Amino acid sequence: MRRETRRPRGMALGLALWMTGCGMAHPSVKAEAPAKDTVAFVDVNVVPMDSERLLAHQTVVVRGERIVALGPVDATPVPVGAARVEGRGRYLMPGLADMHLHLVPGTGQPEDPAGQVLALLLANGVTSARALGGPKDTSRLVRDRVARGEVLGPTLRVAAPSLHGKSVQGPEQARQRVREYKAAGYDLLKTHGSLGRETYDAMMSEARAQGLAVSGHVTPDVGLFHALESGQQIEHLDGYLNELLPENDSARQEVGQVEVGEPLERMEPARIPALAEATRKAGVWSSPTLALFETVTSPEGVESLRTRPELRYAKQASVEAWTQMLANDSQMTSAPAGRKHRFAELRRQVTRGLYTAGAKLLVGSDSPQLFMVAGFAVHREMEALAAAGIPPYGVLEAATRNAAEYLGEAGTWGTVAEGRRADLLLLEANPLEDVKHTRDIAGVMVRGQWLPRSELDAMLERTAVVANAPPRVNKGVATATSAAP
């Protein structure tokens, strides 16, 4: 068994444990000044994600929150006092990013629902996340508490409450809401669509003026091409299936996110290359959320979904609610298996077409919901992208450097290089061979804090227990220890 270590937290005791056998100090570190806040991954294979390559037998040195050295093991000394993590036979890559997460109530403490989501993300190697939904009053609180180090979790970016046909009435109100959300400190805007063209244009115009990106749904009243022209980042491949229908087909205005009806038979995959090229030219990024829609339309049925092992980390009341939701969906239960398969396959073809054209993809799980458990759902999405024909490196790009690039932070994180934030994932197998290997986690580093496998397992077990703990009685009032994710 490989010995796994984490950064020593103590002073004299911690240094005494780690001084032995640490090798000579880095030239910039004086021998009398041990590196108390330094971790070294020794003799590790690095997947830097700056290009499709593998750097064998490297030492990566982290001090504080940053990578300060990366080079061949024989030429890169380990600073005196650094905690050593055995890397031989292992693979070090950037931490994963979930670009479509939903935060839940709480302050981020381990015993509350928000804290459980943070723990599940970290335990699955997710070190950055973008919340496209969550409680209005607490999502920014959790983001800021993580940033201040008050709670442990991935670095978060948080969207404002959704702008859609029911929350916004007219162009002027759209502009006002955008200004309010900017002043409130949100990182971006989310839309569920159905705004109408004039109100949508007002929202996009004010968003540009305020420096806020817009992400979300595309509905027929706006249309795919207008969303592309406007620069909206598109979730769920909204609008693409509509455009696969003949131009004079009335169903273009009726096809929604999930279509298992007769219009599927008239959709023409030959239209995909032109749509993908238009997306590339527009510079629009897509988060396909394939795994969620394949779950919703799964021909295996709800009982098969209930066997997913990660459901032990979800509140069982939520599992029952998801079961009832799908079981009572007459459209899904009555749809022929062939239609469900065609729907999923068309989405895969669109995704593959976007990648082939050079349009950028992002990994988003849209969890927690409908048997998609936070953290675990990121791996399901990556595997769905691979099943759609995206090569392993392309999937890894979508889950790491693409997210940083989209957010304008490519110089800060998303790759393994000197000066980058130390958000790292240590794996037991090569992810360039199979993206499923991103599940084989030996440890996670988030902003320089090392979490070995044993600590990740403890986080998972605590989450399983807390998520389904019985209500706690306080002064005669029963209060739940967690809420449905």
Side-chain angles (χ1 to χ4, degrees):
M1 180 180 292
R2 297 182 176 92
R3 186 180 68 165
E4 297 177 359
T5 58
R6 61 177 299 172
R7 185 189 335 159
R9 299 181 185 277
M11 295 293 287
L13 176 60
L15 293 176
L17 290 173
W18 293 105
M19 284 291 290
T20 303
C22 285
M24 63 181 293
H26 189 279
S28 64
V29 179
K30 296 181 180 179
E32 65 273 14
K36 299 187 294 293
D37 62 344
T38 302
V39 178
F41 298 89
V42 182
D43 198 11
V44 71
N45 301 305
V46 175
V47 184
M49 292 307 301
D50 54 2
S51 63
E52 189 172 359
R53 60 177 181 147
L54 181 69
L55 305 176
H57 304 294
Q58 303 286 298
T59 289
V60 178
V61 180
V62 173
R63 181 176 296 121
E65 294 189 359
R66 299 287 166 181
I67 299 170
V68 297
L70 187 162
V73 64
D74 294 335
T76 308
V78 176
V80 173
R84 296 170 66 103
V85 178
E86 175 59 52
R88 183 169 299 178
R90 290 170 164 173
Y91 297 80
L92 191 70
M93 64 170 286
L96 306 176
D98 186 347
M99 291 292 280
H100 192 145
L101 173 75
H102 289 271
L103 285 177
V104 293
T107 62
Q109 295 299 130
E111 64 273 9
D112 69 35
Q116 294 161 37
V117 167
L118 298 181
L120 291 172
L121 291 170
L122 288 180
N124 281 278
V126 178
T127 56
S128 297
R130 183 180 65 164
L132 293 185
K136 178 179 179 181
D137 297 328
T138 62
S139 58
R140 287 168 297 162
L141 169 66
V142 174
R143 175 198 65 186
D144 295 344
R145 294 197 72 201
V146 170
R148 292 193 297 265
E150 297 172 5
V151 294
L152 185 62
T155 301
L156 296 172
R157 296 291 178 267
V158 176
S162 177
L163 296 161
H164 53 81
K166 293 183 179 180
S167 69
V168 175
Q169 302 300 317
E172 186 50 45
Q173 189 177 45
R175 296 188 187 93
Q176 181 60 32
R177 287 285 171 80
V178 172
R179 292 191 289 268
E180 290 174 358
Y181 292 155
K182 174 68 174 182
Y186 288 103
D187 300 305
L188 71 149
L189 302 176
K190 166 73 179 289
T191 179
H192 276 91
S194 299
L195 289 163
R197 184 71 65 88
E198 185 180 5
T199 301
Y200 175 88
D201 288 346
M203 173 190 70
M204 295 300 298
S205 175
E206 190 63 35
R208 285 190 291 271
Q210 297 296 330
L212 290 174
V214 179
S215 174
H217 300 219
V218 176
T219 44
D221 57 297
V222 170
L224 175 64
F225 282 99
H226 191 69
L228 294 177
E229 293 168 2
S230 301
Q232 178 193 322
Q233 189 265 305
I234 297 175
E235 293 293 307
H236 314 301
L237 302 179
D238 278 3
Y240 285 91
L241 295 193
N242 306 63
E243 293 293 336
L244 297 186
L245 288 164
E247 292 184 6
N248 61 349
D249 196 314
S250 61
R252 278 181 168 227
Q253 298 300 311
E254 301 169 2
V255 169
Q257 287 187 318
V258 180
E259 178 57 67
V260 290
E262 184 269 338
L264 276 175
E265 310 302 330
R266 302 195 300 277
M267 292 180 183
E268 303 171 0
R271 294 175 175 269
I272 292 175
L275 298 178
E277 179 61 17
T279 306
R280 184 197 66 79
K281 286 184 177 179
V284 167
W285 302 60
S286 297
S287 175
T289 61
L290 292 180
L292 173 65
F293 285 83
E294 290 173 13
T295 295
V296 171
T297 59
S298 172
E300 298 177 358
V302 70
E303 290 307 316
S304 176
L305 297 176
R306 287 175 63 92
T307 66
R308 290 183 173 183
E310 63 264 34
L311 292 180
R312 73 182 296 259
Y313 306 110
K315 191 171 180 63
Q316 290 309 297
S318 296
V319 176
E320 296 305 323
W322 300 337
T323 299
Q324 292 302 313
M325 189 178 301
L326 292 186
N328 294 332
D329 187 331
S330 59
Q331 181 188 29
M332 286 299 107
T333 56
S334 63
R339 288 261 179 90
K340 294 179 180 180
H341 175 78
R342 180 167 174 78
F343 171 75
E345 181 55 32
L346 283 171
R347 288 175 54 82
R348 294 188 194 107
Q349 290 181 42
V350 170
T351 301
R352 186 164 62 247
L354 290 170
Y355 178 81
T356 301
K360 295 294 183 73
L361 300 178
L362 301 168
V363 167
S365 71
D366 203 359
S367 66
Q369 64 159 314
L370 289 173
F371 300 97
M372 302 289 285
V373 178
F376 294 93
V378 172
H379 296 285
R380 289 194 177 274
E381 178 64 9
M382 293 173 67
E383 291 159 15
L385 290 170
I390 312 302
Y393 182 73
V395 177
L396 297 177
E397 267 191 318
T400 58
R401 62 176 291 178
N402 278 9
E405 183 180 342
Y406 172 75
L407 293 172
E409 300 173 0
T412 302
W413 59 280
T415 52
V416 183
E418 290 186 18
R420 297 294 189 269
R421 192 169 71 212
D423 290 340
L424 302 167
L425 184 54
L426 185 64
L427 303 172
E428 300 286 6
N430 187 354
L432 292 172
E433 295 177 353
D434 191 333
V435 297
K436 290 182 180 179
H437 292 328
T438 57
R439 292 180 182 263
D440 300 332
I441 299 174
V444 175
M445 177 170 276
V446 56
R447 296 183 300 280
Q449 181 166 340
W450 172 237
L451 305 170
R453 181 71 258 176
S454 58
E455 189 159 339
L456 299 178
D457 287 340
M459 292 167 63
L460 286 172
E461 187 58 32
R462 181 177 61 210
T463 299
V465 171
V466 173
N468 289 289
R472 184 175 56 208
V473 177
N474 182 24
K475 295 182 179 180
V477 179
T479 58
T481 55
S482 67

